[in-house]
Amino acid sequence: MRYLSLLVIVLVLSLTSCRNDFEFEPSTGELEFSKDTVYLDTVFSNVGSSTYRLKVYNRSDNDISIPQIRLAKGTASKYRIMVDGLTGEDADNSGVGDGKIFNNVEMLANDSLFVFIEVTADVASANPTDFLYTDKIEFTNISGAPQDVDLVTLIQDAIFIYPQRSGTNPDEYLYEAINLGLDDANEEIISIGSNLSHTDPVNGDELHWTAAKPYVIYGYALVPGTETLVVDAGARVHFHANSGLIVGPDAKIQINGGNPPGSDYEDLTNEVIFEGDRLEPLYTDVPGQWGTLMILSNSTENTINHLTIKNATVGILMQNIATATGTTIPNLTITNSQIYNCSNVGILARKAQLTGSNLVGNYCGQATLACTYGGTYNFTHCTFNNDWNSSRQVAVLLSDYFETEDTIYVHELTQANFTNCIIYGSNQIEMLLDKTTDSGVAFNYFFNNCLIRFNNINNSFTNNPLYQFASDAVHYSDIFLATNSQINNPKFVDTDINDMRLSEDLNLATETSASNFDDILGISRATSPDLGAYQFVP
């Protein structure tokens, strides 16, 4: 056994004495890259980007050392890189690497390394003609000029609205506050947020949003007092996570978007768009990126025209802060507008008054339209679809109550009228009427010339008085039921990308007296009007 142990030791020593794994040769410039150019998607001025990845390959059979990996603009570069988890040289003596310069980076034979890239730049740093900010990652070698990979990003200037703060100690900051009114316990609701002003020292008039620059909102911005927020055609508004816009109880909102030029579906020049502040394509259709547009105001002058809301938690929320006991009725007229990809509800109205025409919605986690706790509602030529991937969501929900942990509050549904509307989606039942057992509370609804996705599975609703589509003339007139995907399918162009235009003429009767206005694209309904917000164009 002793001789065997000695033999093993000698063998190990002989093997290790021949290893040259840690003898790195200087790079001769034969690296390969996963990309020749890294395009970082558009970012707002002075807002950090997402992290992008570049892969670097050593295809040779030799272990190599790259003398230096650096940003061409050096320590002045607005880009930051990380190389295989390393942050680089500490040029400013801060104690951590600056992400600009890396010396003697080693790579094993036939191996690779990752370079992670970020940028934070202002519009003043970009090329003034195209607003592109560029740099290069250079990989030096002993054979000649460095190999390089271009970095390109578009810097977009913006108007930033956020709560002001005072103080120098982060634990003792004092933030600007907004007052939302009294809750059900008669206590004021005060929250951190921004009070929009006509005379903001940085932004100027914050109560008039134009198309000149995008607006980026951090936290909740409040239209205070008796002020009116006016939003011009073509305005772009981006909300950070957990942010939104609130129209105070005595304030007003007027969103004045315009028709697409020449009825071009894809031209959104005149559309007002509310969406999140992540501009990367990955986030184009991600629900729940920001909060809501909350309307507390009961003004009859609240109007929205040609607004697209995308990727909110709740697209539009209409309610009192004192939801159960408040006596004012939030009021809104909305036309030619679209609401998509909301993680909870597209429009949630609680004891509100809402009038909508040429309104379109799709992909909402609970309901595209939820008119709850009673109220007064009128919808004409609207398309409420819901293709959210679950078995519980609906396109339209009507109810007459509001429920807390220990109490159910009931309020009359004064009216809920739907005329020439499409109520459709991926589930068997896309319309839900949720009435309390209190027979003394009015629950008035009327569906006139509407297409409704409703498959009465196992005759579960046969004897339910709320769903007597054929025999209840008080609540239904000329209803076209879609009991499966073959019968009365509206055949939208592509619900996956929220293209809710009709790919075929529905050939279903409409209430022509209610079709005296153009469709959402400005196309005339004078001849053979179609149900929903879009007129079919051959």
Side-chain angles (χ1 to χ4, degrees), residues 26 61 63 100 161 214 261 285 330 336 341 395 405 426 457 519 522:
D61 295 326
D63 301 334
K100 314 293 185 181
I161 297 175
D285 296 315
N336 304 308
N341 305 325
E405 290 184 359
S426 55
I457 303 172
D519 83 344

Side-chain angles (χ1 to χ4, degrees), residues 181-243:
L182 301 176
D183 66 7
D184 288 311
N186 207 35
E187 296 182 355
E188 285 189 332
I189 299 299
I190 308 294
S191 178
I192 294 174
S194 310
N195 289 279
L196 300 180
S197 168
H198 285 293
T199 56
D200 184 82
V202 175
N203 298 328
D205 190 355
E206 294 178 327
L207 287 158
H208 183 193
W209 293 357
T210 72
K213 294 181 181 180
Y215 292 79
V216 183
I217 313 297
Y218 288 83
Y220 275 86
L222 174 68
V223 186
T226 58
E227 297 288 357
T228 300
L229 172 64
V230 177
V231 184
D232 290 351
R236 301 291 186 262
V237 185
H238 300 266
F239 297 92
H240 194 62
N242 302 313
S243 301

Side-chain angles (χ1 to χ4, degrees), residues 371 396-400 413 416 418 432-434 443 445 447:
C371 300
V396 172
L397 165 67
L398 303 179
S399 82
D400 60 354
L413 182 63
F418 294 78
L432 181 62
L433 307 180
D434 190 10
F443 194 81
Y445 58 95
F447 293 84

Side-chain angles (χ1 to χ4, degrees), residues 390-411:
S390 83
S391 60
R392 302 184 63 181
Q393 91 285 343
V394 295
V396 172
L397 165 67
L398 303 179
S399 82
D400 60 354
Y401 66 91
F402 170 75
E403 187 173 4
T404 63
E405 290 184 359
D406 52 8
T407 307
I408 296 178
Y409 296 90
V410 181
H411 189 273

Side-chain angles (χ1 to χ4, degrees), residues 343-364:
S343 58
N344 288 359
V345 182
I347 296 179
L348 174 55
R350 292 171 171 154
K351 196 170 67 174
Q353 182 167 328
L354 175 61
T355 299
S357 60
N358 286 343
L359 181 59
V360 183
N362 188 31
Y363 277 114
C364 299

Side-chain angles (χ1 to χ4, degrees), residues 513-532:
S513 63
S515 304
N516 56 356
F517 56 95
D518 294 343
D519 83 344
I520 190 171
L521 295 177
I523 298 170
S524 173
R525 290 192 176 98
T527 303
S528 301
D530 281 306
L531 300 178

Side-chain angles (χ1 to χ4, degrees), residues 330-443:
N331 196 311
L332 175 66
T333 298
I334 181 169
T335 56
N336 304 308
S337 295
Q338 306 167 71
I339 301 176
Y340 301 127
N341 305 325
C342 296
S343 58
N344 288 359
V345 182
I347 296 179
L348 174 55
R350 292 171 171 154
K351 196 170 67 174
Q353 182 167 328
L354 175 61
T355 299
S357 60
N358 286 343
L359 181 59
V360 183
N362 188 31
Y363 277 114
C364 299
Q366 297 174 4
T368 303
L369 170 70
C371 300
T372 67
Y373 194 31
T376 302
Y377 309 99
N378 289 281
F379 300 101
T380 307
H381 277 291
C382 296
T383 299
F384 300 114
N385 191 74
N386 202 347
D387 278 2
W388 188 273
N389 186 24
S390 83
S391 60
R392 302 184 63 181
Q393 91 285 343
V394 295
V396 172
L397 165 67
L398 303 179
S399 82
D400 60 354
Y401 66 91
F402 170 75
E403 187 173 4
T404 63
E405 290 184 359
D406 52 8
T407 307
I408 296 178
Y409 296 90
V410 181
H411 189 273
E412 65 180 14
L413 182 63
T414 305
Q415 60 180 253
N417 298 324
F418 294 78
T419 303
N420 295 343
C421 292
I422 297 174
I423 300 170
Y424 202 78
S426 55
N427 279 344
Q428 298 292 334
I429 292 175
E430 289 290 349
M431 182 190 74
L432 181 62
L433 307 180
D434 190 10
K435 184 184 184 305
T436 62
T437 56
D438 189 342
S439 60
V441 176
F443 194 81

